[in-house]
Amino acid sequence: MSVLVLAEHEAGQLKAATLNTVTAAKALGGDVHVLVAGSGAAAVAEAAAKIDGIAKVLLADSPAYAHALAEPLAALLVDLAKGYSAVLAPATTTGKNVLPRVAALLDVAQVSDILAVVSADTFVRPIYAGNALATVQSKDAIKVVTVRTTAFEAAGIGGSAPVESIAAAADPALSAFVSQALSKSERPELTSARVIISGGRGMQSGENFHLLEKVADKLGAAVGASRAAVDAGFVPNDLQVGQTGKIVAPDLYVAVGISGAIQHLAGMKDSKVIVAINKDEEAPIFQVADYGLVADLFKAIPEFSAALPSPGAA
């Protein structure tokens, strides 16, 4: 049977996480269909149709899906699910919000945060904050699966799948959009950034994050934070990296003033190169770091920033 992937999009653009999820879906076997639900989302559907290996794009264009509310999306997926062997979504804020509702309505067990596909019903997923991997088998007729996108390569572009318009599902009227406050930044988004510099409790205050921002601007990097820094109110929670934040796997991850709690390591330990700067030489972060510097960050970071060329410099 076919596999259905819930596409994520924003401001008329298909999110990269969808491409990684398609790769996971193709590993299950069978045709892969992509669902684009939104309002005025025809351009997103056309972008999805160009993903390699896609057999069909389903476009549910309705005001009900303008703000990606979990309840209307779950109702739509439940209506569609009976024609599929599996329903997949990225293990992002949206996917983690929608798919548990789908699983509950279908009365099946969700398989969360998969790292690999063994077969059509068997998956590898992390447990114990990523310290162990479990191979799990689902015997449910419809598999409901969230995908850790950093574990799968992005699907290529070059396909030409047909786009089929479908009707909106009945709105359960359990939620309504009120407002949203969007943060704007010229820096790359955390989950897609090739370089990330993150600060922890050692930054001491939110004002001190400007030290990291200067380095980030020179490196073209995203700025992240540990949960300790977020809980202390230094930075907003959309910067949090870790088990309860965003899972990242950049080419370079620089951890500044981060002790390396197991929950933080779960979110960044798949980074290709990890650099740690901490004045405590016993900090657990050094156990996973490829390069470590035992130093006062308030001296080391300004020196690091001064050594880097300004953006645009030859």
Side-chain angles (χ1 to χ4, degrees):
M1 291 181 71
S2 302
V3 177
L4 182 64
V5 172
L6 175 63
E8 287 199 15
H9 56 94
E10 185 176 20
Q13 300 293 319
L14 188 69
K15 287 192 171 183
T18 303
L19 303 180
N20 305 90
T21 306
V22 166
T23 298
K26 288 193 286 188
L28 292 173
D31 290 340
V32 177
H33 296 177
V34 173
L35 170 63
V36 175
S39 180
V44 178
E46 291 298 330
K50 295 177 182 177
I51 302 173
D52 279 339
I54 295 301
K56 184 193 296 184
V57 174
L58 304 179
L59 172 60
D61 205 318
S62 167
Y65 309 125
H67 303 289
L69 297 180
E71 288 79 9
L73 280 176
L76 176 62
L77 283 166
V78 169
D79 281 355
L80 295 171
K82 61 181 177 292
Y84 294 93
S85 60
V87 177
L88 275 65
T92 57
T93 301
T94 299
K96 290 177 180 179
N97 198 20
V98 176
L99 256 61
R101 289 170 164 82
V102 174
L105 291 168
L106 292 174
D107 194 25
V108 300
Q110 178 177 302
V111 183
S112 302
D113 218 21
I114 67 165
L115 299 173
V117 176
V118 177
S119 67
D121 63 357
T122 306
F123 311 89
V124 178
R125 63 178 301 271
I127 57 175
Y128 303 130
N131 279 297
L133 299 179
T135 300
V136 297
Q137 183 178 42
S138 171
K139 295 185 177 181
D140 291 315
I142 302 174
K143 317 295 187 290
V144 177
V145 181
T146 59
V147 177
R148 181 174 290 193
T149 56
T150 56
F152 295 87
E153 294 292 331
I157 300 298
S160 57
V163 177
E164 176 185 326
S165 293
I166 61 173
D171 188 347
L174 295 172
S175 59
F177 176 77
V178 177
S179 65
Q180 64 183 3
L182 299 176
S183 58
K184 295 183 179 180
S185 174
E186 297 298 321
R187 301 187 186 96
E189 204 277 329
L190 266 173
T191 54
S192 60
R194 295 183 60 192
V195 180
I196 296 173
I197 181 166
S198 286
R201 194 193 307 274
M203 297 302 297
Q204 298 183 4
S205 72
E207 289 76 14
N208 289 331
F209 266 76
H210 79 275
L211 297 172
L212 304 189
E213 291 167 357
K214 288 181 179 179
V215 174
D217 290 340
K218 289 185 174 183
L219 292 175
V223 174
S226 68
R227 179 169 181 172
V230 170
D231 286 349
F234 296 170
V235 291
N237 60 12
D238 61 337
L239 298 187
Q240 183 179 328
V241 172
Q243 184 182 17
T244 54
K246 295 180 178 178
I247 307 297
V248 300
D251 293 338
L252 172 62
Y253 188 89
V254 183
V256 182
I258 294 176
S259 64
I262 187 173
Q263 292 83 358
H264 186 77
L265 299 183
M268 46 64 71
K269 66 181 182 180
D270 290 331
S271 304
K272 292 181 175 62
V273 177
I274 299 172
V275 176
I277 301 174
N278 199 301
K279 66 180 180 181
D280 178 10
E281 63 183 21
E282 301 296 329
I285 191 70
F286 288 122
Q287 296 177 16
V288 299
D290 297 287
Y291 301 94
L293 176 62
V294 178
D296 182 344
L297 70 89
F298 295 106
K299 293 181 179 178
I301 294 302
E303 291 174 358
F304 182 26
S305 180
L308 293 171
S310 298

